[in-house]
């Protein structure tokens, strides 16, 4: 089933890679494209069953769009306001990003929730607004360690989706399940833990939008994904890709993750 949905490998660069490092990254990825990716993986990328995406910091978006122009690597923004314009000091709107060619946004990352006051309510405002504006939206959910240890994982996923999902489904909506305890810690969820959480997520998506929409929705796993553990995670039927922080910062490991995506599509 998951294979009919394709696979998305998304790099969340967080506050890493300024303009210069971004250009260098793109250059290395382009020059190693044919040597580091197998023919079959490149074909999957060409046919769009395998998608590659990076979320650079705002100031690196233009350099990234320029450097990746004509390539298969898409570029998205890590944080975008829900309003079009106005008195929101420090914020950036979707129309500003659309103007430079950004087509993807990231919403509800746990670091935005933890450090910058993002809530399920603002997640919903952003996801609604970004989808209306035509973006592809990656909406993040996931429980903390205390919540997992307290047996609350299912409840947290249910609540975050019930409150954060936009009212109307779109095929441009993508979910990323990212257990907070696995982010940047080197502690990856086991493939079984990821699959279980993704099944719960898909069930909740089905509750809101119906089974057909749920079957089409990509659900990514995030939290210490590496080229080494990607195969096991991507082998799960409900894991449709990865949202990757640390391991997406180096061209070689980003390409290795794409190769793992290509292999998973063959299995
Ligand atoms: P990580 O980050 O891969 O470094 O754990 C993932 C994320 O926060 O999206």
């Amino acid at each position: 089933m998951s294979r009919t949905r394709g696979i998305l490998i998304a790099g969340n660069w967080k506050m890493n890679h300024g303009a210069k490092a971004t250009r260098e990254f793109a250059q290395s990825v382009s020059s190693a494209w044919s040597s580091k990716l197998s023919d079959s993986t490149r074909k999957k990328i060409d046919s769009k069953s395998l998608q590659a995406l990076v979320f650079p910091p705002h100031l690196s978006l233009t350099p990234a769009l320029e450097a990746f122009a004509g390539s298969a690597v898409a570029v998205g923004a890590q944080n975008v306001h829900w309003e079009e314009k106005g008195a929101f000091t420090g914020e950036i709107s979707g129309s500003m990003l659309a103007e430079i060619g950004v087509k993807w946004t990231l919403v509800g990352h746990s670091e935005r929730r933890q450090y910058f006051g993002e809530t399920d309510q603002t997640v919903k405002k952003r996801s609604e607004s970004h989808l209306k504006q035509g973006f592809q939206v990656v909406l993040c959910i996931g429980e903390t360690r205390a919540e997992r240890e307290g047996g609350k994982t299912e409840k947290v996923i249910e609540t975050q989706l019930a409150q954060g999902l936009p009212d109307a489904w779109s095929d441009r909506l993508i979910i990323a399940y990212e257990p907070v305890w696995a982010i940047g810690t080197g502690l990856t969820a086991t493939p079984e833990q990821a699959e279980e959480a993704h099944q719960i997520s898909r069930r909740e998506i089905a509750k809101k939008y119906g089974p057909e929409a749920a079957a089409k929705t990509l659900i990514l796993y995030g939290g210490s994904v590496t080229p080494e553990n990607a195969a096991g995670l991507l082998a799960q039927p409900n894991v449709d890709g990865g949202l990757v922080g640390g391991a997406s910062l180096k061209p070689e490991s980003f390409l290795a993750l794409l190769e793992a995506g290509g292999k998973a599509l063959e299995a």
Side-chain angles (χ1 to χ4, degrees), residues 12 14 109 111 178 182-185 222-225 243-247:
N12 174 14
K14 312 190 179 185
H109 190 278
E111 286 150 19
E178 298 206 305
I183 294 178
T185 57
S224 299
V225 176
L243 179 58
V244 190

Side-chain angles (χ1 to χ4, degrees), residues 168-222:
W169 183 77
S170 161
D171 60 1
R172 288 177 281 106
L173 175 67
I174 288 136
I175 304 302
Y177 167 68
E178 298 206 305
V180 180
W181 49 271
I183 294 178
T185 57
L187 290 173
T188 318
T190 63
E192 293 71 27
Q193 285 172 324
E195 174 62 18
E196 191 189 4
H198 285 220
Q199 280 179 15
I200 295 167
S201 304
R202 204 174 298 286
R203 185 192 71 206
E204 293 307 301
I205 296 166
K207 247 188 232 167
K208 184 148 177 112
Y209 306 120
E212 230 174 274
K216 287 189 194 147
T217 303
L218 289 178
I219 306 180
L220 315 180
Y221 168 79

